[in-house]
Structure formats: structure tokens, C-alpha cells
Amino acid sequence: MKIIRIHNELLGTYGDRGNADVLAYRAGLAGISATVVDISYRDGIPHDGDIYLLGGAEDAAQILSCNALSGGSLHGAVEKGAVVLAICAGFQILGKSFYANGEEQRGLGLLNITTVPGTQRYVGDIKIHSDLLGIDLTGFENHGGKTLLGAGAQSFGSVVVGHGNGETGVDGAISGNIFGTYLHGPVLARNPEFADLLLSRAHGSPVKVIDPLADHYAALRRSVVK
Ligand code: GLN
């Protein structure tokens, strides 16, 4: 399995690079060999990846990353059914438009979402409930943008604690195999069930990961964000 970590030098501010490591580790626990490939913003995006990852960033880096992706290289992979996980700035980049450095920027249009300036900066612990996974997930958020879902974009979860997309009571968006969320953490380290869902989507069938720490993760989630 090939895991593509996109522009970590730009989208690495919040430690989301760990999502790639969690995926590779858990793939290994399930007997699937996986490699993580780092792609710089100076390079083209390969089309043969199974999972593509984008992380959070500050505004200037977010614009640079979006511009580098605007040639459409990610669209080819998505058309082939690749899985995409995008966090915060990465999530906003996948949408139709977002604001950075005080100006509206054109996004990649892979998700039917738009991000506008929020009424505050949304900072702190966050807990959401995912119907898809049937569990609560936790993380932390730190963003100024407020994201609105358009037709065909389903939310990733409902907000239990925190802000998520803004004042709408939901977090993130899902469309096919594309997942966007505001949860840093890294989200897959704190919520390994989500990692296993992404691995299963990429594998094309359920991936069984035997994880001796599963109960520990669940207890951690219950205790840290109330
Ligand atoms: N720059 C974006 C915002 O503030 C994203 C921030 C982030 O990725 N944490 O909304």
C-alpha cells in the first residue's frame, strides 16, 4: 500500500504528519506492507497512491500548497478511487474556495464546500460523533475559517464539544473516499478506528487490525475531552 504525504514542509505545522505513520503501522499489524512517500510542493503528485494525506497549515503555506496542487494532479488519483484524508487547511484546500491572508482563494473543488472567515478563531479540544464509525472521536482544533457544506458533501460528524466547521454543529465533510475534518491530534493516533476505516477503503475490503491498545485508546478518548 502506498501512502502519499503531501507537502509536509508546508502542511506540517500541527503534527498531522503522524497520520501517515499510524496508517503504515496499522497496515503492518494487519499484514499489509505499506510505504510512506513524502511529496514536496516542488514535485508532481504521483497517481498510483492508495491514500493521500494533507495536514493543517498557516495561511501563507496553505496558499503555496494549494497553488502547487492546482494543476489537477490530485484529481487523477481521486478519479481512480484513491482515499484522501485532509485536515484543517488541507480540508479547506479541497473545497471550492477558502480565505487566507484576508483574501478569497480558489480551492481544488474536490469537495463541494466553501470556507469563509469565522466569527472567532476556533481553538481548543474537540469531540465529535461519527455515525459512519459509530463512535466519538477527539482531537484539537485551531482555525479561523468556517466551512459550509454544499450539495453532495456529507458532514463527517456532529460536534459534541468544540466548534468543527463553525457555527453549524457539524465537523468535516465526506464525499466518496474523500474525508476532511478539523481534528488535529494527529487524528488517526487518537482515533485508530478511523485509520482502520481508511485502510479498509484503500484495500477494498475490511482490514482486520489486532490492536492490544484498543481499550486504552477508547478510555483516553472518554477521559480527555468532556
Ligand atoms: N489557515 C487556516 C485557518 O486558520 C487553517 C488552519 C489550520 O490548518 N489549523 O482557518
Side-chain angles (χ1 to χ4, degrees), residues 36-74:
V36 176
V37 180
D38 273 298
I39 301 296
S40 158
Y41 80 105
R42 297 173 187 277
D43 302 329
I45 303 288
H47 287 184
D48 62 345
D50 299 291
I51 306 181
Y52 292 78
L53 302 169
L54 300 98
E58 293 180 12
D59 284 13
Q62 182 175 359
I63 295 170
L64 277 176
S65 175
C66 186
N67 289 345
L69 291 168
S70 64
S73 45
L74 201 49

PDB file of all heavy atoms in Angstrom, residues 36-74:
ATOM      1  N   VAL A  36       5.422   4.943   3.154  1.00  0.00           N
ATOM      2  CA  VAL A  36       5.028   6.356   3.173  1.00  0.00           C
ATOM      3  C   VAL A  36       5.967   7.102   2.229  1.00  0.00           C
ATOM      4  O   VAL A  36       7.188   6.992   2.331  1.00  0.00           O
ATOM      5  CB  VAL A  36       5.146   6.937   4.600  1.00  0.00           C
ATOM      6  CG1 VAL A  36       4.827   8.434   4.583  1.00  0.00           C
ATOM      7  CG2 VAL A  36       4.226   6.191   5.566  1.00  0.00           C
ATOM      8  N   VAL A  37       5.383   7.843   1.293  1.00  0.00           N
ATOM      9  CA  VAL A  37       6.174   8.615   0.328  1.00  0.00           C
ATOM     10  C   VAL A  37       5.886  10.099   0.572  1.00  0.00           C
ATOM     11  O   VAL A  37       4.732  10.534   0.517  1.00  0.00           O
ATOM     12  CB  VAL A  37       5.790   8.238  -1.119  1.00  0.00           C
ATOM     13  CG1 VAL A  37       6.610   9.044  -2.118  1.00  0.00           C
ATOM     14  CG2 VAL A  37       5.970   6.745  -1.348  1.00  0.00           C
ATOM     15  N   ASP A  38       6.939  10.869   0.872  1.00  0.00           N
ATOM     16  CA  ASP A  38       6.779  12.310   1.065  1.00  0.00           C
ATOM     17  C   ASP A  38       6.927  13.020  -0.265  1.00  0.00           C
ATOM     18  O   ASP A  38       7.910  12.816  -0.982  1.00  0.00           O
ATOM     19  CB  ASP A  38       7.842  12.828   2.048  1.00  0.00           C
ATOM     20  CG  ASP A  38       7.367  12.695   3.475  1.00  0.00           C
ATOM     21  OD1 ASP A  38       6.357  13.335   3.813  1.00  0.00           O
ATOM     22  OD2 ASP A  38       7.985  11.931   4.245  1.00  0.00           O
ATOM     23  N   ILE A  39       5.955  13.871  -0.575  1.00  0.00           N
ATOM     24  CA  ILE A  39       5.995  14.631  -1.827  1.00  0.00           C
ATOM     25  C   ILE A  39       6.116  16.116  -1.496  1.00  0.00           C
ATOM     26  O   ILE A  39       5.253  16.692  -0.830  1.00  0.00           O
ATOM     27  CB  ILE A  39       4.709  14.375  -2.658  1.00  0.00           C
ATOM     28  CG1 ILE A  39       4.567  12.886  -2.987  1.00  0.00           C
ATOM     29  CG2 ILE A  39       4.731  15.218  -3.931  1.00  0.00           C
ATOM     30  CD1 ILE A  39       5.652  12.310  -3.864  1.00  0.00           C
ATOM     31  N   SER A  40       7.196  16.719  -1.971  1.00  0.00           N
ATOM     32  CA  SER A  40       7.424  18.150  -1.756  1.00  0.00           C
ATOM     33  C   SER A  40       6.544  18.981  -2.679  1.00  0.00           C
ATOM     34  O   SER A  40       6.106  18.496  -3.733  1.00  0.00           O
ATOM     35  CB  SER A  40       8.896  18.458  -2.045  1.00  0.00           C
ATOM     36  OG  SER A  40       9.063  19.814  -2.352  1.00  0.00           O
ATOM     37  N   TYR A  41       6.325  20.231  -2.304  1.00  0.00           N
ATOM     38  CA  TYR A  41       5.482  21.082  -3.162  1.00  0.00           C
ATOM     39  C   TYR A  41       6.161  21.397  -4.490  1.00  0.00           C
ATOM     40  O   TYR A  41       5.532  21.887  -5.420  1.00  0.00           O
ATOM     41  CB  TYR A  41       5.068  22.358  -2.421  1.00  0.00           C
ATOM     42  CG  TYR A  41       6.092  23.455  -2.359  1.00  0.00           C
ATOM     43  CD1 TYR A  41       5.954  24.584  -3.158  1.00  0.00           C
ATOM     44  CD2 TYR A  41       7.182  23.380  -1.525  1.00  0.00           C
ATOM     45  CE1 TYR A  41       6.880  25.614  -3.106  1.00  0.00           C
ATOM     46  CE2 TYR A  41       8.115  24.394  -1.463  1.00  0.00           C
ATOM     47  CZ  TYR A  41       7.958  25.503  -2.259  1.00  0.00           C
ATOM     48  OH  TYR A  41       8.881  26.512  -2.216  1.00  0.00           O
ATOM     49  N   ARG A  42       7.464  21.080  -4.600  1.00  0.00           N
ATOM     50  CA  ARG A  42       8.166  21.280  -5.874  1.00  0.00           C
ATOM     51  C   ARG A  42       7.967  20.094  -6.822  1.00  0.00           C
ATOM     52  O   ARG A  42       8.345  20.158  -7.987  1.00  0.00           O
ATOM     53  CB  ARG A  42       9.670  21.452  -5.629  1.00  0.00           C
ATOM     54  CG  ARG A  42       9.995  22.683  -4.811  1.00  0.00           C
ATOM     55  CD  ARG A  42      11.481  22.688  -4.459  1.00  0.00           C
ATOM     56  NE  ARG A  42      11.783  23.773  -3.539  1.00  0.00           N
ATOM     57  CZ  ARG A  42      12.010  25.024  -3.910  1.00  0.00           C
ATOM     58  NH1 ARG A  42      11.970  25.346  -5.171  1.00  0.00           N
ATOM     59  NH2 ARG A  42      12.273  25.939  -3.008  1.00  0.00           N
ATOM     60  N   ASP A  43       7.420  18.994  -6.300  1.00  0.00           N
ATOM     61  CA  ASP A  43       7.266  17.769  -7.098  1.00  0.00           C
ATOM     62  C   ASP A  43       5.821  17.590  -7.551  1.00  0.00           C
ATOM     63  O   ASP A  43       4.894  18.101  -6.923  1.00  0.00           O
ATOM     64  CB  ASP A  43       7.644  16.531  -6.271  1.00  0.00           C
ATOM     65  CG  ASP A  43       9.076  16.609  -5.757  1.00  0.00           C
ATOM     66  OD1 ASP A  43       9.911  17.218  -6.454  1.00  0.00           O
ATOM     67  OD2 ASP A  43       9.317  16.089  -4.654  1.00  0.00           O
ATOM     68  N   GLY A  44       5.634  16.808  -8.595  1.00  0.00           N
ATOM     69  CA  GLY A  44       4.279  16.425  -9.009  1.00  0.00           C
ATOM     70  C   GLY A  44       3.739  15.359  -8.058  1.00  0.00           C
ATOM     71  O   GLY A  44       4.501  14.685  -7.363  1.00  0.00           O
ATOM     72  N   ILE A  45       2.432  15.220  -8.029  1.00  0.00           N
ATOM     73  CA  ILE A  45       1.805  14.210  -7.165  1.00  0.00           C
ATOM     74  C   ILE A  45       1.642  12.920  -7.971  1.00  0.00           C
ATOM     75  O   ILE A  45       0.997  12.925  -9.024  1.00  0.00           O
ATOM     76  CB  ILE A  45       0.407  14.692  -6.699  1.00  0.00           C
ATOM     77  CG1 ILE A  45       0.497  16.045  -5.981  1.00  0.00           C
ATOM     78  CG2 ILE A  45      -0.270  13.651  -5.819  1.00  0.00           C
ATOM     79  CD1 ILE A  45       1.114  16.020  -4.620  1.00  0.00           C
ATOM     80  N   PRO A  46       2.214  11.811  -7.494  1.00  0.00           N
ATOM     81  CA  PRO A  46       2.038  10.549  -8.227  1.00  0.00           C
ATOM     82  C   PRO A  46       0.569  10.112  -8.246  1.00  0.00           C
ATOM     83  O   PRO A  46      -0.173  10.398  -7.311  1.00  0.00           O
ATOM     84  CB  PRO A  46       2.886   9.542  -7.433  1.00  0.00           C
ATOM     85  CG  PRO A  46       3.392  10.243  -6.245  1.00  0.00           C
ATOM     86  CD  PRO A  46       3.004  11.677  -6.284  1.00  0.00           C
ATOM     87  N   HIS A  47       0.179   9.405  -9.293  1.00  0.00           N
ATOM     88  CA  HIS A  47      -1.221   8.975  -9.433  1.00  0.00           C
ATOM     89  C   HIS A  47      -1.455   7.571  -8.884  1.00  0.00           C
ATOM     90  O   HIS A  47      -2.586   7.121  -8.852  1.00  0.00           O
ATOM     91  CB  HIS A  47      -1.632   8.993 -10.912  1.00  0.00           C
ATOM     92  CG  HIS A  47      -1.820  10.365 -11.453  1.00  0.00           C
ATOM     93  ND1 HIS A  47      -2.253  10.624 -12.723  1.00  0.00           N
ATOM     94  CD2 HIS A  47      -1.625  11.580 -10.879  1.00  0.00           C
ATOM     95  CE1 HIS A  47      -2.328  11.931 -12.917  1.00  0.00           C
ATOM     96  NE2 HIS A  47      -1.940  12.527 -11.825  1.00  0.00           N
ATOM     97  N   ASP A  48      -0.361   6.907  -8.483  1.00  0.00           N
ATOM     98  CA  ASP A  48      -0.517   5.490  -8.121  1.00  0.00           C
ATOM     99  C   ASP A  48      -0.585   5.262  -6.616  1.00  0.00           C
ATOM    100  O   ASP A  48      -0.374   4.164  -6.135  1.00  0.00           O
ATOM    101  CB  ASP A  48       0.629   4.667  -8.722  1.00  0.00           C
ATOM    102  CG  ASP A  48       1.994   5.101  -8.182  1.00  0.00           C
ATOM    103  OD1 ASP A  48       2.083   6.205  -7.587  1.00  0.00           O
ATOM    104  OD2 ASP A  48       2.961   4.336  -8.338  1.00  0.00           O
ATOM    105  N   GLY A  49      -0.887   6.309  -5.848  1.00  0.00           N
ATOM    106  CA  GLY A  49      -1.013   6.142  -4.402  1.00  0.00           C
ATOM    107  C   GLY A  49      -2.343   5.516  -4.032  1.00  0.00           C
ATOM    108  O   GLY A  49      -3.311   5.578  -4.799  1.00  0.00           O
ATOM    109  N   ASP A  50      -2.385   4.908  -2.852  1.00  0.00           N
ATOM    110  CA  ASP A  50      -3.640   4.351  -2.340  1.00  0.00           C
ATOM    111  C   ASP A  50      -4.314   5.329  -1.381  1.00  0.00           C
ATOM    112  O   ASP A  50      -5.535   5.412  -1.326  1.00  0.00           O
ATOM    113  CB  ASP A  50      -3.360   3.027  -1.613  1.00  0.00           C
ATOM    114  CG  ASP A  50      -2.760   2.005  -2.553  1.00  0.00           C
ATOM    115  OD1 ASP A  50      -3.484   1.547  -3.447  1.00  0.00           O
ATOM    116  OD2 ASP A  50      -1.548   1.702  -2.426  1.00  0.00           O
ATOM    117  N   ILE A  51      -3.485   6.044  -0.594  1.00  0.00           N
ATOM    118  CA  ILE A  51      -4.023   7.013   0.370  1.00  0.00           C
ATOM    119  C   ILE A  51      -3.192   8.297   0.267  1.00  0.00           C
ATOM    120  O   ILE A  51      -1.953   8.243   0.258  1.00  0.00           O
ATOM    121  CB  ILE A  51      -3.959   6.480   1.820  1.00  0.00           C
ATOM    122  CG1 ILE A  51      -4.648   5.111   1.926  1.00  0.00           C
ATOM    123  CG2 ILE A  51      -4.580   7.480   2.790  1.00  0.00           C
ATOM    124  CD1 ILE A  51      -4.666   4.520   3.330  1.00  0.00           C
ATOM    125  N   TYR A  52      -3.874   9.434   0.188  1.00  0.00           N
ATOM    126  CA  TYR A  52      -3.224  10.740   0.102  1.00  0.00           C
ATOM    127  C   TYR A  52      -3.577  11.546   1.347  1.00  0.00           C
ATOM    128  O   TYR A  52      -4.749  11.571   1.755  1.00  0.00           O
ATOM    129  CB  TYR A  52      -3.714  11.485  -1.145  1.00  0.00           C
ATOM    130  CG  TYR A  52      -3.253  10.839  -2.437  1.00  0.00           C
ATOM    131  CD1 TYR A  52      -3.872   9.700  -2.925  1.00  0.00           C
ATOM    132  CD2 TYR A  52      -2.181  11.360  -3.144  1.00  0.00           C
ATOM    133  CE1 TYR A  52      -3.440   9.093  -4.099  1.00  0.00           C
ATOM    134  CE2 TYR A  52      -1.740  10.763  -4.321  1.00  0.00           C
ATOM    135  CZ  TYR A  52      -2.378   9.630  -4.789  1.00  0.00           C
ATOM    136  OH  TYR A  52      -1.943   9.037  -5.950  1.00  0.00           O
ATOM    137  N   LEU A  53      -2.565  12.195   1.937  1.00  0.00           N
ATOM    138  CA  LEU A  53      -2.774  12.910   3.205  1.00  0.00           C
ATOM    139  C   LEU A  53      -2.359  14.365   3.096  1.00  0.00           C
ATOM    140  O   LEU A  53      -1.282  14.679   2.566  1.00  0.00           O
ATOM    141  CB  LEU A  53      -1.942  12.244   4.316  1.00  0.00           C
ATOM    142  CG  LEU A  53      -2.249  10.771   4.558  1.00  0.00           C
ATOM    143  CD1 LEU A  53      -1.200  10.154   5.465  1.00  0.00           C
ATOM    144  CD2 LEU A  53      -3.639  10.599   5.167  1.00  0.00           C
ATOM    145  N   LEU A  54      -3.216  15.239   3.612  1.00  0.00           N
ATOM    146  CA  LEU A  54      -2.885  16.667   3.699  1.00  0.00           C
ATOM    147  C   LEU A  54      -3.119  17.113   5.142  1.00  0.00           C
ATOM    148  O   LEU A  54      -4.101  16.702   5.764  1.00  0.00           O
ATOM    149  CB  LEU A  54      -3.771  17.505   2.777  1.00  0.00           C
ATOM    150  CG  LEU A  54      -3.725  17.203   1.282  1.00  0.00           C
ATOM    151  CD1 LEU A  54      -4.880  16.317   0.875  1.00  0.00           C
ATOM    152  CD2 LEU A  54      -3.772  18.493   0.474  1.00  0.00           C
ATOM    153  N   GLY A  55      -2.252  17.995   5.637  1.00  0.00           N
ATOM    154  CA  GLY A  55      -2.363  18.436   7.022  1.00  0.00           C
ATOM    155  C   GLY A  55      -2.740  19.904   7.139  1.00  0.00           C
ATOM    156  O   GLY A  55      -3.057  20.572   6.151  1.00  0.00           O
ATOM    157  N   GLY A  56      -2.667  20.399   8.361  1.00  0.00           N
ATOM    158  CA  GLY A  56      -3.006  21.787   8.653  1.00  0.00           C
ATOM    159  C   GLY A  56      -1.822  22.711   8.429  1.00  0.00           C
ATOM    160  O   GLY A  56      -0.669  22.279   8.414  1.00  0.00           O
ATOM    161  N   ALA A  57      -2.118  23.992   8.243  1.00  0.00           N
ATOM    162  CA  ALA A  57      -1.053  24.949   7.935  1.00  0.00           C
ATOM    163  C   ALA A  57      -1.495  26.357   8.255  1.00  0.00           C
ATOM    164  O   ALA A  57      -2.692  26.632   8.385  1.00  0.00           O
ATOM    165  CB  ALA A  57      -0.707  24.882   6.451  1.00  0.00           C
ATOM    166  N   GLU A  58      -0.518  27.235   8.336  1.00  0.00           N
ATOM    167  CA  GLU A  58      -0.836  28.658   8.418  1.00  0.00           C
ATOM    168  C   GLU A  58      -1.143  29.167   7.009  1.00  0.00           C
ATOM    169  O   GLU A  58      -0.847  28.514   6.009  1.00  0.00           O
ATOM    170  CB  GLU A  58       0.321  29.388   9.082  1.00  0.00           C
ATOM    171  CG  GLU A  58       0.422  28.962  10.536  1.00  0.00           C
ATOM    172  CD  GLU A  58       1.528  29.629  11.292  1.00  0.00           C
ATOM    173  OE1 GLU A  58       2.104  30.602  10.787  1.00  0.00           O
ATOM    174  OE2 GLU A  58       1.810  29.163  12.401  1.00  0.00           O
ATOM    175  N   ASP A  59      -1.747  30.371   6.957  1.00  0.00           N
ATOM    176  CA  ASP A  59      -2.323  30.851   5.697  1.00  0.00           C
ATOM    177  C   ASP A  59      -1.345  30.870   4.523  1.00  0.00           C
ATOM    178  O   ASP A  59      -1.675  30.417   3.421  1.00  0.00           O
ATOM    179  CB  ASP A  59      -2.895  32.257   5.887  1.00  0.00           C
ATOM    180  CG  ASP A  59      -4.218  32.241   6.643  1.00  0.00           C
ATOM    181  OD1 ASP A  59      -4.561  31.195   7.227  1.00  0.00           O
ATOM    182  OD2 ASP A  59      -4.899  33.282   6.647  1.00  0.00           O
ATOM    183  N   ALA A  60      -0.142  31.429   4.733  1.00  0.00           N
ATOM    184  CA  ALA A  60       0.791  31.580   3.601  1.00  0.00           C
ATOM    185  C   ALA A  60       1.168  30.218   3.030  1.00  0.00           C
ATOM    186  O   ALA A  60       1.192  30.017   1.803  1.00  0.00           O
ATOM    187  CB  ALA A  60       2.034  32.340   4.048  1.00  0.00           C
ATOM    188  N   ALA A  61       1.446  29.263   3.914  1.00  0.00           N
ATOM    189  CA  ALA A  61       1.814  27.919   3.469  1.00  0.00           C
ATOM    190  C   ALA A  61       0.627  27.226   2.792  1.00  0.00           C
ATOM    191  O   ALA A  61       0.792  26.491   1.814  1.00  0.00           O
ATOM    192  CB  ALA A  61       2.296  27.102   4.664  1.00  0.00           C
ATOM    193  N   GLN A  62      -0.554  27.492   3.298  1.00  0.00           N
ATOM    194  CA  GLN A  62      -1.773  26.907   2.718  1.00  0.00           C
ATOM    195  C   GLN A  62      -1.946  27.357   1.262  1.00  0.00           C
ATOM    196  O   GLN A  62      -2.281  26.557   0.383  1.00  0.00           O
ATOM    197  CB  GLN A  62      -2.968  27.349   3.574  1.00  0.00           C
ATOM    198  CG  GLN A  62      -4.299  26.797   3.138  1.00  0.00           C
ATOM    199  CD  GLN A  62      -5.425  27.187   4.098  1.00  0.00           C
ATOM    200  OE1 GLN A  62      -5.190  27.856   5.103  1.00  0.00           O
ATOM    201  NE2 GLN A  62      -6.623  26.759   3.801  1.00  0.00           N
ATOM    202  N   ILE A  63      -1.690  28.640   1.011  1.00  0.00           N
ATOM    203  CA  ILE A  63      -1.814  29.163  -0.360  1.00  0.00           C
ATOM    204  C   ILE A  63      -0.770  28.513  -1.271  1.00  0.00           C
ATOM    205  O   ILE A  63      -1.081  28.086  -2.392  1.00  0.00           O
ATOM    206  CB  ILE A  63      -1.660  30.702  -0.372  1.00  0.00           C
ATOM    207  CG1 ILE A  63      -2.815  31.353   0.388  1.00  0.00           C
ATOM    208  CG2 ILE A  63      -1.595  31.237  -1.795  1.00  0.00           C
ATOM    209  CD1 ILE A  63      -2.634  32.848   0.641  1.00  0.00           C
ATOM    210  N   LEU A  64       0.469  28.419  -0.787  1.00  0.00           N
ATOM    211  CA  LEU A  64       1.532  27.806  -1.597  1.00  0.00           C
ATOM    212  C   LEU A  64       1.172  26.368  -1.968  1.00  0.00           C
ATOM    213  O   LEU A  64       1.336  25.941  -3.114  1.00  0.00           O
ATOM    214  CB  LEU A  64       2.853  27.794  -0.815  1.00  0.00           C
ATOM    215  CG  LEU A  64       3.701  29.054  -0.813  1.00  0.00           C
ATOM    216  CD1 LEU A  64       4.909  28.853   0.101  1.00  0.00           C
ATOM    217  CD2 LEU A  64       4.156  29.378  -2.234  1.00  0.00           C
ATOM    218  N   SER A  65       0.691  25.622  -0.983  1.00  0.00           N
ATOM    219  CA  SER A  65       0.346  24.220  -1.227  1.00  0.00           C
ATOM    220  C   SER A  65      -0.797  24.122  -2.232  1.00  0.00           C
ATOM    221  O   SER A  65      -0.755  23.310  -3.174  1.00  0.00           O
ATOM    222  CB  SER A  65      -0.040  23.558   0.099  1.00  0.00           C
ATOM    223  OG  SER A  65      -0.478  22.246  -0.132  1.00  0.00           O
ATOM    224  N   CYS A  66      -1.812  24.955  -2.049  1.00  0.00           N
ATOM    225  CA  CYS A  66      -2.969  24.920  -2.953  1.00  0.00           C
ATOM    226  C   CYS A  66      -2.538  25.245  -4.389  1.00  0.00           C
ATOM    227  O   CYS A  66      -2.955  24.569  -5.330  1.00  0.00           O
ATOM    228  CB  CYS A  66      -4.025  25.898  -2.452  1.00  0.00           C
ATOM    229  SG  CYS A  66      -5.555  25.803  -3.385  1.00  0.00           S
ATOM    230  N   ASN A  67      -1.677  26.255  -4.522  1.00  0.00           N
ATOM    231  CA  ASN A  67      -1.206  26.619  -5.867  1.00  0.00           C
ATOM    232  C   ASN A  67      -0.450  25.458  -6.510  1.00  0.00           C
ATOM    233  O   ASN A  67      -0.607  25.180  -7.702  1.00  0.00           O
ATOM    234  CB  ASN A  67      -0.307  27.855  -5.802  1.00  0.00           C
ATOM    235  CG  ASN A  67      -1.099  29.114  -5.495  1.00  0.00           C
ATOM    236  OD1 ASN A  67      -2.325  29.114  -5.597  1.00  0.00           O
ATOM    237  ND2 ASN A  67      -0.419  30.173  -5.106  1.00  0.00           N
ATOM    238  N   ALA A  68       0.362  24.781  -5.704  1.00  0.00           N
ATOM    239  CA  ALA A  68       1.139  23.664  -6.249  1.00  0.00           C
ATOM    240  C   ALA A  68       0.239  22.511  -6.692  1.00  0.00           C
ATOM    241  O   ALA A  68       0.581  21.755  -7.595  1.00  0.00           O
ATOM    242  CB  ALA A  68       2.154  23.180  -5.213  1.00  0.00           C
ATOM    243  N   LEU A  69      -0.921  22.389  -6.052  1.00  0.00           N
ATOM    244  CA  LEU A  69      -1.846  21.289  -6.384  1.00  0.00           C
ATOM    245  C   LEU A  69      -2.835  21.667  -7.483  1.00  0.00           C
ATOM    246  O   LEU A  69      -3.581  20.819  -7.970  1.00  0.00           O
ATOM    247  CB  LEU A  69      -2.630  20.874  -5.132  1.00  0.00           C
ATOM    248  CG  LEU A  69      -1.828  20.175  -4.035  1.00  0.00           C
ATOM    249  CD1 LEU A  69      -2.644  20.099  -2.750  1.00  0.00           C
ATOM    250  CD2 LEU A  69      -1.412  18.781  -4.472  1.00  0.00           C
ATOM    251  N   SER A  70      -2.837  22.935  -7.864  1.00  0.00           N
ATOM    252  CA  SER A  70      -3.917  23.406  -8.739  1.00  0.00           C
ATOM    253  C   SER A  70      -3.809  22.863 -10.162  1.00  0.00           C
ATOM    254  O   SER A  70      -4.755  22.980 -10.942  1.00  0.00           O
ATOM    255  CB  SER A  70      -3.977  24.930  -8.751  1.00  0.00           C
ATOM    256  OG  SER A  70      -2.787  25.421  -9.312  1.00  0.00           O
ATOM    257  N   GLY A  71      -2.688  22.244 -10.503  1.00  0.00           N
ATOM    258  CA  GLY A  71      -2.565  21.629 -11.829  1.00  0.00           C
ATOM    259  C   GLY A  71      -3.461  20.424 -12.021  1.00  0.00           C
ATOM    260  O   GLY A  71      -3.569  19.895 -13.123  1.00  0.00           O
ATOM    261  N   GLY A  72      -4.099  19.956 -10.952  1.00  0.00           N
ATOM    262  CA  GLY A  72      -5.059  18.856 -11.098  1.00  0.00           C
ATOM    263  C   GLY A  72      -4.498  17.485 -10.784  1.00  0.00           C
ATOM    264  O   GLY A  72      -5.154  16.477 -10.995  1.00  0.00           O
ATOM    265  N   SER A  73      -3.259  17.439 -10.240  1.00  0.00           N
ATOM    266  CA  SER A  73      -2.634  16.130 -10.039  1.00  0.00           C
ATOM    267  C   SER A  73      -3.391  15.246  -9.052  1.00  0.00           C
ATOM    268  O   SER A  73      -3.375  14.018  -9.178  1.00  0.00           O
ATOM    269  CB  SER A  73      -1.189  16.307  -9.595  1.00  0.00           C
ATOM    270  OG  SER A  73      -1.104  17.300  -8.605  1.00  0.00           O
ATOM    271  N   LEU A  74      -4.056  15.858  -8.084  1.00  0.00           N
ATOM    272  CA  LEU A  74      -4.795  15.041  -7.113  1.00  0.00           C
ATOM    273  C   LEU A  74      -6.104  14.511  -7.718  1.00  0.00           C
ATOM    274  O   LEU A  74      -6.595  13.448  -7.324  1.00  0.00           O
ATOM    275  CB  LEU A  74      -5.078  15.889  -5.862  1.00  0.00           C
ATOM    276  CG  LEU A  74      -5.379  15.189  -4.550  1.00  0.00           C
ATOM    277  CD1 LEU A  74      -4.359  14.111  -4.231  1.00  0.00           C
ATOM    278  CD2 LEU A  74      -5.439  16.205  -3.423  1.00  0.00           C
TER     279      LEU A  74
END
